[in-house]
Amino acid sequence: MNYQQILNEIFKELKSGDNLGYVASYIPELAKINPDNFGIHLTTIDKKEFKVGEWDTKFSIQSIAKVFALSQAYQLVGDKIWERVDVEPSGTSFNSLVQLESNHGIPRNPFMNAGAMVVCDILISKLDNPEEDFLSFLRDLTPLGEISYSETIAKSEKAVGYRNIALCNFLKSYGNLENNPDRVLDFYFNICSIEMSCQELSFAFLYLANDDFRSSRNLQVLSMSQAKRVNALMQTCGFYDESGEFAFRVGLPGKSGVGGGIIAIHPDKYCIAVWSPRLNEKGNSYRGMQFLELFTTRTESSIF
Amino acid sequence: MNYQQILNEIFKELKSGDNLGYVASYIPELAKINPDNFGIHLTTIDKKEFKVGEWDTKFSIQSIAKVFALSQAYQLVGDKIWERVDVEPSGTSFNSLVQLESNHGIPRNPFMNAGAMVVCDILISKLDNPEEDFLSFLRDLTPLGEISYSETIAKSEKAVGYRNIALCNFLKSYGNLENNPDRVLDFYFNICSIEMSCQELSFAFLYLANDDFRSSRNLQVLSMSQAKRVNALMQTCGFYDESGEFAFRVGLPGKSGVGGGIIAIHPDKYCIAVWSPRLNEKGNSYRGMQFLELFTTRTESSIF
Amino acid sequence: MNYQQILNEIFKELKSGDNLGYVASYIPELAKINPDNFGIHLTTIDKKEFKVGEWDTKFSIQSIAKVFALSQAYQLVGDKIWERVDVEPSGTSFNSLVQLESNHGIPRNPFMNAGAMVVCDILISKLDNPEEDFLSFLRDLTPLGEISYSETIAKSEKAVGYRNIALCNFLKSYGNLENNPDRVLDFYFNICSIEMSCQELSFAFLYLANDDFRSSRNLQVLSMSQAKRVNALMQTCGFYDESGEFAFRVGLPGKSGVGGGIIAIHPDKYCIAVWSPRLNEKGNSYRGMQFLELFTTRTESSIF
Amino acid sequence: MNYQQILNEIFKELKSGDNLGYVASYIPELAKINPDNFGIHLTTIDKKEFKVGEWDTKFSIQSIAKVFALSQAYQLVGDKIWERVDVEPSGTSFNSLVQLESNHGIPRNPFMNAGAMVVCDILISKLDNPEEDFLSFLRDLTPLGEISYSETIAKSEKAVGYRNIALCNFLKSYGNLENNPDRVLDFYFNICSIEMSCQELSFAFLYLANDDFRSSRNLQVLSMSQAKRVNALMQTCGFYDESGEFAFRVGLPGKSGVGGGIIAIHPDKYCIAVWSPRLNEKGNSYRGMQFLELFTTRTESSIF
């Protein structure tokens, strides 16, 4: 399959078309990004690389970090994690409090904000130095460059993150947090503030594509069963209230972030990261969704 | 892969274990079925067959019929179907009216009862003799035996189907039905009453597994893109409020019915039908779920 | 208190102002009414009458009939009625199915459509000839003229009342109806189709204003405790999702109908009926609400 | 009317009956109260006093403070207050976040926790020294004794008030708070911590019973129209999800608090305060509800 040529073609087509939607503005720092950035990086399981555009510019990975957090917590506590967070798609927006009320404090899945906060709570309880240890976990996955938190982004989000503060205290009121909500929020905002490039992301997620579920540094990250389950979760819940649409149009497990990044996994084949900051009305990258739909159609690589 | 041996092993293991749950009792006729029936039939895309237990006993396919109905409507009207029904998982029970109210009459997906009623409405409008033409469509898919409606089941369900009557009139009140609710309900209850065996089902669904999306009689049923989308929909929405769980544990697109049947598709490999009438609390076959989880684990054939 | 002068003044003021809103159009027959009809009739507990405008034109009383139905059922079965319908304001629209789902088939109060259907079901079970006996009950309350059902209105409503059909079947699905939903709907549409004038209404409701709770013909309709409870229910639930607003601005127990009628009770003083067909966005008479607010302000006769 | 004799009789009857329910335990300090306290104090508009039991023991007035806060804010900003909080009963629990989500940050009424927080926000913006000035307002209403905040109670509630923290940040996320959520919560917990006796309460609320709407010290607190509207709000929304029940059984405007206190107003007649710490399942005083139902029945003083 001539991935590079297909990347180039679709990139060119979309570049010349409309770039609709808005850069996420609720986090003031994110609003400063140039909305016309557009990069793609694909890594195959045998580590061949294909890339186009701003593939090596770092951007705020935001909710994509939830997949890393889930993976590390899953590695640490195993299936006990599912006692505190469910595995069902939500049918509501990513920061809905309604769902949490009707499920008595059990988030529907680990990719909704509330679910990710429960995962953060587990990491805080289990890791000696949560911020450091989480970064080490990431560095093992992507030995390409320096990965770090963006204090500016984390602060910016915290200053106006009233809804996330509400969610986190709501979780605590149901007894589904061990740690103080302020601590959980700090960690949550920190991991969402991490900056990575498309290249770093497509390398980092190889552990979900490889058939031995090892990282690019050859560390075993998850068991086969665990990795398949993380993929299944991304397929059903990775795109907020557009998860069905993504499965329908793209046909790969994936996860998006409000920074405009999307990663998608083709088990046994490749991992692809796309970045374009303008978001559609459901909060997912406008060009990212378009790109991946065209890509899996032309490469006939939907998993379905 | 020695499918037959694996089928036999799992069958034996589960037979000797608990068979929990209850046969669906809200349709009086269904409650008469022997709850210990248990059959499996797998057909590979090159038409090799593997089977065990009551694989050739006919049973009420119930909601599995929704996949056939969707496929026929998709064939007839193409993507216009998505103007009247969405493609997102629901996060609520299969017969919830709440969801319909908050989405102003657009069902979340074609596998919820309300969504299937919209699909039925389309078929009634497009087919000359809906009941006959739908049966012809099925007979083309499975040339193995006689397929027909069960008047007894359809009547039995209609007599007490107050909630479905409510749903259908609710849809009509939003203007999302062209035909009279009574007519739509008749057709809906009719298609759900169809009786097929595991063998017939695993043959019939080959058009979703074959890479040319042809039926076992070699008719083109859907385009590649359409077939992949139907599979994606089954993956995200096929098991009511347990769709995430099924993706998580089994890792195949599939669809269940309250008659205790489940079909699952492995694109490019096989189609499998399982039948065991006792249902878990989410309304899916208790043993069917267990069987498929063990099966994809041992054959390592989850798509993720 | 010079009621007549105050009626005249407010009538004149409002006549010269805007008459906003729309005549209810979901019942085709209702849409034919002249929207500028405007009548008021007040009867004191010592049977003095004050009136202005179209006070003796008959109109479709619609939901005002729910108060009569509740009173008759209360008379027949006493407090057992509250086992099947609650007494709390709903916080949702009059024909919401959501509320019914979260309360497992128990309507929030007898003035929501679902609650009134349960009341109708009780009357059908308890009365020998429901339609006739209900009319007799009304004729005893208002011996002024002929009262009867409007077949045209009832038919018109039935033909398009999909949402009410949905509600009624939904109730049945929860087991909260003894009779067949079709029969309950017939009776429900019939009582809502009754036509009365403002004069007839203000006489008919004297049993809720008199301190002996007798009708204008001196029949004991309810016990003191029962009458006070019906008034309390009208105060908290009589105006759909505008009940708080009505208490807030008018300060009397009352009940509105989509035909544009409103009745309000001042215990120990008077009963007033207002009619003006244009409805505000909450479904209550635009001028009726205005009239009553000005009236209780100028007569200082809010009960609060 | 021999109020004293009736108070004595009912007091005696209830004392010898069951005292069911539980003292509020979610605020640790409240759980320390002797659950058998039981006091009543009635003040007529001509300042005659009737009392029985622990009528002069101070207790935590909790949500009863919301009526004082609303009155002061209403005095300060007039009807502009209704741009930020609605006047409709909620149909959900006092601390529900669901309602707030579906109403985009506008609380249904000023007696739900979220509504009271908006009122607190207004007071913080308008008063020079909010805590002091609110206390002065109260001292003007009840010149009987010393009134003050309980630091212990306020702290105790704040330490575990995760759900209220959630609510307050949720409000802020919708832009319906001018001040910082932490400041609003402090003030909110402070006013709820105020301790008063039944005697002090029945005096303090005279401004809602007197026909000139003056306080016991003869200060004009609200206009007639404002006072009637506060009463109407208490009637429709004063008892959380039991407001309809209270109107139905007692028939007076009133307000309860989780400290076990209830006040009720008979316009033009009297103000009554009851205190008994055990709460029914809806969060209202078990004996308080019983007492008031018997009291308005025997004195025939429901307003309906």
Side-chain angles (χ1 to χ4, degrees), chain B residues 66-136:
Chain B
K66 293 171 181 172
V67 189
F68 294 129
L70 171 66
S71 299
Q72 192 178 22
Y74 208 0
Q75 193 187 68
L76 289 167
V77 302
D79 285 328
K80 291 192 79 165
I81 196 173
W82 312 119
E83 295 167 12
R84 292 178 54 192
V85 58
D86 204 350
V87 298
E88 293 299 326
S90 76
T92 50
S93 126
F94 64 101
N95 59 6
S96 173
L97 286 101
V98 169
Q99 178 276 320
L100 212 51
E101 187 156 331
S102 63
N103 289 273
H104 308 290
I106 301 295
R108 287 283 286 182
N109 65 65
F111 299 143
M112 300 191 74
N113 291 12
M117 287 171 189
V118 167
V119 170
C120 285
D121 184 60
I122 292 171
L123 291 178
I124 293 168
S125 293
K126 292 289 168 193
L127 298 174
D128 290 334
N129 302 294
E131 268 80 359
E132 258 178 64
D133 297 351
F134 182 73
L135 229 43
S136 297

Side-chain angles (χ1 to χ4, degrees), chain D residues 8-256:
Chain D
N8 292 346
E9 279 170 14
I10 303 176
F11 183 81
K12 206 176 143 195
E13 279 172 43
L14 294 182
K15 264 294 205 187
S16 68
D18 284 341
N19 190 10
L20 303 179
Y22 294 93
V23 173
S25 60
Y26 73 94
I27 308 173
E29 277 299 313
L30 283 186
K32 298 180 181 170
I33 302 300
N34 176 354
D36 293 325
N37 275 304
F38 191 18
I40 299 100
H41 191 282
L42 180 154
T43 309
T44 62
I45 56 170
D46 49 2
K47 293 194 193 158
K48 290 202 187 99
E49 297 181 47
F50 305 90
K51 48 212 181 189
V52 65
E54 278 81 35
W55 57 270
D56 67 349
T57 308
K58 282 176 188 278
F59 61 91
S60 192
I61 67 171
Q62 293 294 318
S63 291
I64 297 174
K66 294 172 182 172
V67 189
F68 294 129
L70 171 66
S71 299
Q72 193 178 21
Y74 208 179
Q75 194 187 68
L76 289 167
V77 304
D79 285 328
K80 292 193 76 163
I81 197 173
W82 311 119
E83 295 166 12
R84 293 179 54 194
V85 58
D86 203 349
V87 298
E88 294 298 326
S90 75
T92 50
S93 125
F94 65 101
N95 59 5
S96 172
L97 285 101
V98 171
Q99 178 275 321
L100 212 50
E101 189 156 331
S102 63
N103 289 271
H104 307 290
I106 302 294
R108 286 282 287 182
N109 64 64
F111 298 143
M112 299 190 77
N113 290 11
M117 286 171 189
V118 168
V119 170
C120 285
D121 184 60
I122 292 171
L123 290 178
I124 293 168
S125 293
K126 292 290 169 190
L127 298 175
D128 291 332
N129 303 293
E131 269 81 358
E132 257 178 64
D133 297 351
F134 182 72
L135 228 44
S136 297
F137 177 79
L138 280 197
R139 284 173 187 148
D140 279 344
L141 295 180
T142 319
L144 298 172
E146 254 319 287
I147 296 178
S148 54
Y149 302 111
S150 162
E151 257 188 69
T152 330
I153 294 283
K155 251 192 205 161
S156 175
E157 188 160 0
K158 204 178 170 178
V160 296
Y162 300 113
R163 191 154 178 149
N164 280 321
I165 301 174
L167 265 178
C168 200
N169 279 281
F170 200 34
L171 274 175
K172 182 73 178 178
S173 77
Y174 280 109
N176 199 3
L177 288 184
E178 288 177 5
N179 300 283
N180 186 290
D182 283 342
R183 177 68 188 104
V184 175
L185 283 163
D186 271 344
F187 188 63
Y188 175 80
F189 288 137
N190 280 336
I191 69 167
C192 289
S193 82
I194 283 171
E195 296 178 318
M196 292 172 74
S197 67
C198 287
Q199 187 189 36
E200 287 164 343
L201 282 169
S202 80
F203 264 88
F205 280 109
L206 281 180
Y207 71 96
L208 292 174
N210 286 339
D211 58 3
D212 54 1
F213 309 100
R214 289 172 180 276
S215 72
S216 54
R217 275 180 88 178
N218 211 30
L219 299 161
Q220 174 89 28
V221 183
L222 295 172
S223 70
M224 178 174 74
S225 153
Q226 288 175 331
K228 285 179 175 304
R229 287 173 171 201
V230 172
N231 280 336
L233 272 165
M234 285 198 287
Q235 188 74 73
T236 50
C237 318
F239 291 80
Y240 313 126
D241 198 25
E242 202 173 32
S243 297
E245 185 81 12
F246 191 79
F248 185 80
R249 286 169 48 193
V250 176
L252 294 180
K255 183 78 202 74
S256 68

Side-chain angles (χ1 to χ4, degrees), chain C residues 74 79 82 86-92 108 208 213 224-225 227-233 235-237 240-251 253 267 282 293 297 300-304, chain D residues 74 79 82 86-92 108 208 213 224-225 227-233 235-237 240-251 253 267 282 293 297 300-304:
Chain C
Y74 208 178
D79 284 327
W82 311 119
D86 204 348
V87 298
E88 294 298 328
S90 75
T92 50
R108 287 283 286 184
L208 292 174
F213 308 101
M224 178 175 74
S225 153
K228 285 178 175 304
R229 287 174 170 198
V230 172
N231 280 335
L233 272 166
Q235 186 74 75
T236 51
C237 317
Y240 313 127
D241 199 24
E242 201 173 32
S243 298
E245 187 81 12
F246 191 80
F248 185 81
R249 286 169 48 192
V250 177
K282 297 287 181 76
E293 180 175 8
T297 303
E300 294 190 7
S301 61
S302 148
I303 61 170
F304 295 114
Chain D
Y74 208 179
D79 285 328
W82 311 119
D86 203 349
V87 298
E88 294 298 326
S90 75
T92 50
R108 286 282 287 182
L208 292 174
F213 309 100
M224 178 174 74
S225 153
K228 285 179 175 304
R229 287 173 171 201
V230 172
N231 280 336
L233 272 165
Q235 188 74 73
T236 50
C237 318
Y240 313 126
D241 198 25
E242 202 173 32
S243 297
E245 185 81 12
F246 191 79
F248 185 80
R249 286 169 48 193
V250 176
K282 297 285 181 77
E293 180 176 7
T297 303
E300 295 190 5
S301 61
S302 150
I303 59 170
F304 295 113

Side-chain angles (χ1 to χ4, degrees), chain A residues 74 79 82 86-92 108 208 213 224-225 227-233 235-237 240-251 253 267 282 293 297 300-304, chain B residues 74 79 82 86-92 108 208 213 224-225 227-233 235-237 240-251 253 267 282 293 297 300-304:
Chain A
Y74 208 179
D79 285 329
W82 311 119
D86 204 349
V87 298
E88 294 298 327
S90 76
T92 51
R108 286 283 286 184
L208 293 174
F213 310 101
M224 177 175 75
S225 152
K228 286 180 174 301
R229 288 174 171 199
V230 172
N231 280 336
L233 272 165
Q235 187 73 74
T236 50
C237 318
Y240 313 127
D241 198 24
E242 203 173 29
S243 298
E245 186 80 13
F246 190 80
F248 185 81
R249 286 170 46 195
V250 177
K282 297 285 181 77
E293 180 175 7
T297 303
E300 293 190 7
S301 61
S302 149
I303 60 170
F304 296 113
Chain B
Y74 208 0
D79 285 328
W82 312 119
D86 204 350
V87 298
E88 293 299 326
S90 76
T92 50
R108 287 283 286 182
L208 293 174
F213 310 101
M224 177 175 75
S225 153
K228 286 180 175 300
R229 288 174 172 199
V230 172
N231 280 337
L233 272 165
Q235 188 72 75
T236 51
C237 318
Y240 313 125
D241 198 24
E242 203 173 30
S243 298
E245 186 80 12
F246 190 80
F248 185 81
R249 288 169 46 195
V250 177
K282 298 285 181 76
E293 180 176 7
T297 303
E300 294 191 7
S301 61
S302 149
I303 61 169
F304 295 113

Side-chain angles (χ1 to χ4, degrees), chain A residues 17-25 31 33-37 242 258 260 276-290:
Chain A
D18 285 339
N19 190 8
L20 303 178
Y22 294 94
V23 173
S25 60
I33 302 299
N34 176 354
D36 292 325
N37 276 303
E242 203 173 29
V258 292
S276 169
R278 289 193 193 269
L279 308 180
N280 66 18
E281 54 183 10
K282 297 285 181 77
N284 299 311
S285 172
Y286 175 78
R287 275 191 172 158
M289 295 286 283
Q290 285 187 311

